[in-house]
Amino acid sequence: MAGIFDTDKSRITDRVQVNIPFSWLMDTKAGWMDIFVENRLNPEIGLDSEALDKYTAPEFSAAADRFHSIGRSITLHGPFLDLSPGSPDRSIRWVTRQRLDQMIDAAKAFSPLTVVCHCGYDEARYGFIREKWYERAAEMWKHTSRRLAGKNTRLMLENVYETDPDEIGRMFEITGQENIGCCLDVGHLSVFGRRQLKDWIERLSPYIGQIHLHDNRGQSDQHLGLGLGSIDFAPLFDWLRGLQKMPVITLEPHDRDALDASVSFLEKQGFFSTA
């Protein structure tokens, strides 16, 4: 499985993260751990509820050690399904906090640069209690960020169902950016957003510390390889070229072909292609 990428492409993979659920890494038959290690990929490891309940601290540590032993950086993606940090239901908030605390405890093994969590706002569901939802969610995210800050890890809040950049931008204003940054997911805003990519960048640029890259055709969250959908990434690349410090970049393919396509796309754009 070694040597998927040639030397030029390896210069790119050395400087980006690649998403992978922890359960996939533990599937010895699929061989994802070996693929990642042999190709020296920096993982963004998904710790969903199933992984948090199924695996133990020694298993997390053993996986982390394999990546750290070859000098790879690790980022994490926290659980998100059925969680609502700003829910008006106290029991739902309790479950959400328990899951996030469980994830933070597991994160000790990985020493991650960042932990990505979904901000969680959805105008269609919470618009009628918008400010109270933000108020409750802000307390949840401040608690999470403070715990992560003690581990030298930054919390990144990601857009999913937010239709307008103000909907997630408001959260950074309320929290006061307490070790909290924005993970701009370009694929999500293409499907669920109602504003142009340049508008999201302009509104959120003071907060962006991480970017999730994947492609789609604007109808569903397909997680295609870059260049295989209809997203125009030009505004993003133009903005990135003007920065002095690059945000954390995570590729989010759902199979190896999509990963290869994404790396090839970045190579053609001239990103990370030189040492």
Side-chain angles (χ1 to χ4, degrees):
M1 292 292 185
I4 294 174
F5 302 110
D6 59 32
T7 302
D8 288 340
K9 292 180 180 179
S10 293
R11 291 176 184 154
I12 297 173
T13 57
D14 190 53
R15 298 173 67 180
V16 301
Q17 308 297 124
V18 179
N19 78 300
I20 186 76
F22 188 78
S23 58
W24 288 23
L25 288 176
M26 297 298 284
D27 184 346
T28 55
K29 185 176 180 180
W32 280 107
M33 176 64 84
D34 290 337
I35 291 170
F36 266 65
V37 170
E38 290 168 3
N39 287 277
R40 299 181 61 81
L41 301 178
N42 299 301
E44 180 156 300
I45 300 173
L47 294 180
D48 58 16
S49 59
E50 181 180 358
L52 290 171
D53 286 343
K54 181 176 181 180
Y55 297 104
T56 64
E59 289 173 305
F60 292 139
S61 294
D65 288 347
R66 289 201 66 182
F67 289 111
H68 289 151
S69 68
I70 58 171
R72 299 300 83 192
S73 64
I74 297 175
T75 56
L76 298 179
H77 197 304
F80 56 89
L81 286 176
D82 295 328
L83 302 182
S84 179
S87 174
D89 188 322
R90 182 181 301 175
S91 295
I92 299 300
R93 294 199 308 276
W94 183 85
V95 169
T96 300
R97 181 158 173 167
Q98 290 300 304
R99 276 298 184 202
L100 293 173
D101 281 343
Q102 187 182 12
M103 177 271 296
I104 293 169
D105 290 338
K108 296 175 184 177
F110 297 97
S111 300
L113 299 174
T114 65
V115 170
V116 178
C117 291
H118 291 179
C119 179
Y121 184 74
D122 183 347
E123 180 73 12
R125 291 196 292 166
Y126 306 123
F128 72 104
I129 53 168
R130 182 172 183 170
E131 286 305 312
K132 290 298 287 185
W133 191 95
Y134 281 128
E135 181 182 321
R136 297 184 186 103
E139 288 305 310
M140 185 81 69
W141 294 131
K142 285 192 284 187
H143 164 78
T144 302
S145 71
R146 289 166 189 158
R147 289 202 62 198
L148 289 172
K151 300 169 176 55
N152 297 315
T153 297
R154 192 179 185 198
L155 173 65
M156 297 291 179
L157 297 182
E158 174 187 354
N159 60 290
V160 184
Y161 298 116
E162 289 84 359
T163 61
D164 187 289
D166 283 336
E167 292 175 6
I168 188 169
R170 178 69 175 138
M171 185 59 65
F172 303 116
E173 294 168 350
I174 295 175
T175 58
Q177 301 181 70
E178 293 191 11
N179 194 46
I180 302 173
C182 174
C183 176
L184 183 68
D185 191 299
V186 180
H188 289 163
L189 69 85
S190 171
V191 177
F192 306 112
R194 296 175 185 168
R195 298 275 295 277
Q196 297 296 313
L197 173 56
K198 63 181 179 59
D199 297 326
W200 287 77
I201 294 171
E202 181 178 349
R203 173 67 171 88
L204 300 173
S205 59
Y207 314 114
I208 296 172
Q210 188 158 346
I211 295 172
H212 278 178
L213 288 179
H214 49 104
D215 210 339
N216 59 64
R217 299 185 181 93
Q219 302 300 313
S220 63
D221 191 19
Q222 296 167 288
H223 282 260
L224 302 175
L226 303 184
L228 300 181
S230 59
I231 296 176
D232 178 8
F233 292 95
L236 175 67
F237 293 141
D238 288 344
W239 177 70
L240 288 173
R241 289 189 179 97
L243 297 180
Q244 293 184 340
K245 181 179 179 181
M246 190 70 67
V248 176
I249 304 291
T250 301
L251 303 180
E252 287 201 310
H254 279 186
D255 56 49
R256 282 173 53 181
D257 289 341
L259 173 58
D260 196 23
S262 294
V263 174
S264 296
F265 185 86
L266 290 179
E267 183 183 32
K268 292 176 182 176
Q269 297 295 320
F271 273 92
F272 312 119
S273 58
T274 59

